[in-house]
Amino acid sequence: MLAAAWLGTAHAAAVPALEAGERLAGGAATNLRVTGRRVFSQPSATLGADGRMDFVIGNGFFKRLWVSAPSSTKAADGLGPLYNARACQRCHLLDGRSSAPHSGPEDWGRALAIDGESLLLRLSIAPRDDAERALLASGKQAVIPHPIYGGQLQTAAIVGHQAEAMARVTYTAQTVDLAGGESVTLRAPVYSIEAPAYGPLDQTAMISPRSAPPMIGLGLLEAIDEADWLGLADPDDADGDGISGRANRVWSAAHQRMMPGRFGWKAGQATVEDQAHAAMADDIGVSNALKPNPWGECTDLQKDCVTARHGDDPQYDHLEAPPAVMRTLVHYSRHLAVPARRNVVNPHVLAGKQAFHDAGCAACHAPTFVTRSDWPEKALRGQRIRPYSDLLLHDMGEGLADNRPEGVANGREWRTAPLWGVGLTQQVNPRAGFLHDGRARSLTEAILWHGGEAQAARERFRLATKEERGALLAFLQSL
C-alpha cells in the first residue's frame, strides 16, 4: 500500500487531499498565464497598471549590463573594478537559479574552474581581537571579512585590474543505496582558491560557496508577519520532535536596526531592499544609497581598486545606481510571481503530498502562511501563500556544512529553502542545480544530501519503496 512506510513516524498525520486554492501557490498574485522558460519572469497578477509599468522598468535594470567608467553611457557605468557578474540576470538566469558547475564522471577528481556567475565564494576569518568579537556580538556585522579579499572572492575585473583569484571545485563520487536495490551517485565538492593576485589567503580563511537562488515570491515572503514564522522556532527542541529551527538576526541597512533574516542561504538579509543593494555593490561593484563605496567590495589593501575611476556622478545623486534605479529594481524583485502548481488533483501527486508530510519534510518546509493584511504593498497583502519554508535556520549535517558562521547561523545551519517553483527549476534553466552550491543534479540527490535535523526524513525517503519515492518526487515536481 502506498505510503505505508511513512506511517508511524513522528509527523504522520492526515493531510487534506486537496485544499481550496492549493493550486495558487502565491495566492491571487500567482502567475496563471505564462509557461515555458519564462515562467519565473512574470509580474504578480495583482499588480495594477502603474505597478506593471514599474515592473517593466525594473526588469530593464535587472538585465542591464554595467560597463566600466568612464564611458559614453554614464547611466550604466560603474562596473567593478572587481566583480562577479555584469548584471543581475547573468546569475539569476531568467529569474531562476544560476547554472551549476558542469561535470560528469569523466571530470570527477579533476579541479574545474568556476566563475562568479555560476557560483561565488564567500570569505571570512575568525575574529582576531576583542574589538572584532564585540562587533560580531553586536550583530551589526555578521562576519569578519578577509583583510585582503573582503567578504567574497571577485573572479572578474575590468581592464587594467586583476581578478582576485581563480576559484575551483573538485567533485568526488559518493554512492547511496536505496531500498529496492537502486543506488544514486552524489557528487561531493571540495572548493579551492588558486593564484591569489593580491597576497596570500589568510590561513584561517573560511570559504562558503553560494549559487544564485530563484527570484520568485520574494515580496510575498517579506509580507509574512514576523510573529507567524518566528512562532515556528523551537531552538531547544522543546517539543522533542528532533527539529529545532531558529531565526538569524541581522543588521538591516535599510531600516537601521537589527531584524530577523529572511533572505539568502543563511538568512543573512532582512529585506528585499537590503538584499538588492548588497548584491548590486558586492556582486557587480555598483554604488548605491545603502552601499555607497564606488569601488564595490574592494578592501583598503587593494589600493589600485579603491582609487580607480568610477561612475559616481552628480546627476545620479553622486552614485552609480541612484535611488530611482534601486526603487524600480526592488519593486521588480518583490513582484516576480510564483507560478501556479500543476497536476494538483493527480492521485500520484496527492499520495506524494501525504508522503511529504508523513516523512516529516513539512516540519521545516512549512506549507502555508497568510501575508499581512496591513502590508504596504497592496498587491501582496492578505494572500494565502504556499512557500514550503519556515525561513528558519536548521542544522543540515556535516555533508552540507560550510563550517563558516554568519551572524547567528553556525557552520552547519542553512535557512530552509522555499520549494515553490522547484519543479520548474530545470525547465527555466536546464543547467541549474539544487542546494546552496548546486551540487545536487536532481531532487533525489538534494534529498539524499539532507542530514542533521533532516536525517530522519532523508532515511524515510531512502528506505521507502520505489513507488513511494516516485510519489513524493511527483509532488515536489508539482510545486
Side-chain angles (χ1 to χ4, degrees), residues 171-221:
Y171 293 110
T172 56
Q174 286 187 6
T175 301
V176 178
D177 294 326
L178 308 179
E182 292 183 272
S183 65
V184 174
T185 301
L186 306 180
R187 55 177 194 171
V190 175
Y191 296 95
S192 60
I193 295 174
E194 297 180 5
Y198 295 86
L201 207 64
D202 191 286
Q203 292 292 319
T204 65
M206 294 175 280
I207 299 172
S208 181
R210 308 285 175 92
S211 62
M215 296 288 296
I216 56 173
L218 299 183
L220 291 168
L221 295 178

Side-chain angles (χ1 to χ4, degrees), residues 232-237 241-246 392-395 453:
L232 299 176
D234 184 16
D236 300 318
D237 190 20
D241 68 349
I243 306 296
S244 58
R246 57 182 183 147
L392 297 171
L393 299 170
H394 293 274
D395 181 342
E453 296 175 34

Side-chain angles (χ1 to χ4, degrees), residues 19 48 77 92 196 199 206 212 235 324 340 370 373 380:
E19 300 154 64
D77 69 9
H92 300 279
M206 294 175 280
V370 177
S373 60
L380 304 175

Side-chain angles (χ1 to χ4, degrees), residues 121-125 128 145-154 164-168 191-208 299 301-302:
L121 301 185
R122 291 275 172 84
L123 301 173
S124 58
I125 61 171
R128 294 163 293 185
H146 189 281
I148 299 175
Y149 294 97
Q152 64 190 53
L153 193 73
Q154 312 288 340
E164 290 187 326
M166 294 180 62
R168 293 187 180 276
Y191 296 95
S192 60
I193 295 174
E194 297 180 5
Y198 295 86
L201 207 64
D202 191 286
Q203 292 292 319
T204 65
M206 294 175 280
I207 299 172
S208 181
T299 66
L301 297 178
Q302 295 169 319

Side-chain angles (χ1 to χ4, degrees), residues 79-86 114-117 119-123 146 148-158 161-167 193-198 201 278-286 291 295-299 302 305:
L79 176 69
L82 307 181
Y83 63 95
N84 291 114
R86 289 184 59 198
I114 53 177
D115 60 47
E117 293 182 2
L119 200 66
L120 65 79
L121 301 185
R122 291 275 172 84
L123 301 173
H146 189 281
I148 299 175
Y149 294 97
Q152 64 190 53
L153 193 73
Q154 312 288 340
T155 53
I158 63 173
H161 295 262
Q162 281 187 284
E164 290 187 326
M166 294 180 62
I193 295 174
E194 297 180 5
Y198 295 86
L201 207 64
M280 185 67 89
D282 297 344
D283 299 348
I284 306 178
V286 170
K291 304 273 280 188
W295 49 84
E297 219 253 332
C298 297
T299 66
Q302 295 169 319
C305 178

Side-chain angles (χ1 to χ4, degrees), residues 157-412:
I158 63 173
V159 174
H161 295 262
Q162 281 187 284
E164 290 187 326
M166 294 180 62
R168 293 187 180 276
V169 60
T170 303
Y171 293 110
T172 56
Q174 286 187 6
T175 301
V176 178
D177 294 326
L178 308 179
E182 292 183 272
S183 65
V184 174
T185 301
L186 306 180
R187 55 177 194 171
V190 175
Y191 296 95
S192 60
I193 295 174
E194 297 180 5
Y198 295 86
L201 207 64
D202 191 286
Q203 292 292 319
T204 65
M206 294 175 280
I207 299 172
S208 181
R210 308 285 175 92
S211 62
M215 296 288 296
I216 56 173
L218 299 183
L220 291 168
L221 295 178
E222 192 174 43
I224 302 171
D225 195 308
E226 278 186 18
D228 290 345
W229 63 282
L230 295 180
L232 299 176
D234 184 16
D236 300 318
D237 190 20
D239 63 7
D241 68 349
I243 306 296
S244 58
R246 57 182 183 147
N248 208 344
R249 300 288 300 179
V250 297
W251 178 257
S252 168
H255 292 266
Q256 290 293 295
R257 63 182 173 88
M258 296 296 295
M259 295 177 67
R262 301 184 192 223
F263 302 105
W265 289 107
K266 282 184 181 278
Q269 297 292 348
T271 68
V272 176
E273 192 175 5
D274 288 315
Q275 178 71 55
H277 284 75
M280 185 67 89
D282 297 344
D283 299 348
I284 306 178
V286 170
S287 63
N288 55 71
L290 300 185
K291 304 273 280 188
N293 291 336
W295 49 84
E297 219 253 332
C298 297
T299 66
D300 292 342
L301 297 178
Q302 295 169 319
K303 295 188 185 304
D304 288 346
C305 178
V306 172
T307 57
R309 294 285 299 271
H310 56 74
D312 282 6
D313 192 286
Q315 70 173 312
Y316 300 117
D317 298 304
H318 298 279
L319 296 165
E320 292 163 340
V325 169
M326 294 306 300
R327 270 196 299 274
T328 53
L329 190 60
V330 169
H331 176 83
Y332 177 75
S333 302
R334 282 183 172 140
H335 288 284
L336 282 158
V338 179
R341 285 187 56 197
R342 289 80 52 213
N343 304 318
V344 291
V345 297
N346 183 300
H348 198 47
V349 170
L350 291 173
K353 176 185 173 186
Q354 182 69 54
F356 179 85
H357 284 262
D358 291 345
C361 307
C364 302
H365 290 284
T368 306
F369 290 95
V370 177
T371 61
R372 285 172 47 172
S373 60
D374 60 349
W375 190 246
E377 295 260 5
K378 182 180 178 182
L380 304 175
R381 71 175 64 141
Q383 302 299 321
R384 177 167 291 281
I385 61 174
R386 291 170 170 81
Y388 287 91
S389 169
D390 60 7
L391 304 180
L392 297 171
L393 299 170
H394 293 274
D395 181 342
M396 294 300 293
E398 193 59 35
L400 290 177
D402 65 353
N403 300 309
R404 176 183 179 270
E406 181 179 334
V408 172
N410 66 35
R412 292 165 56 105

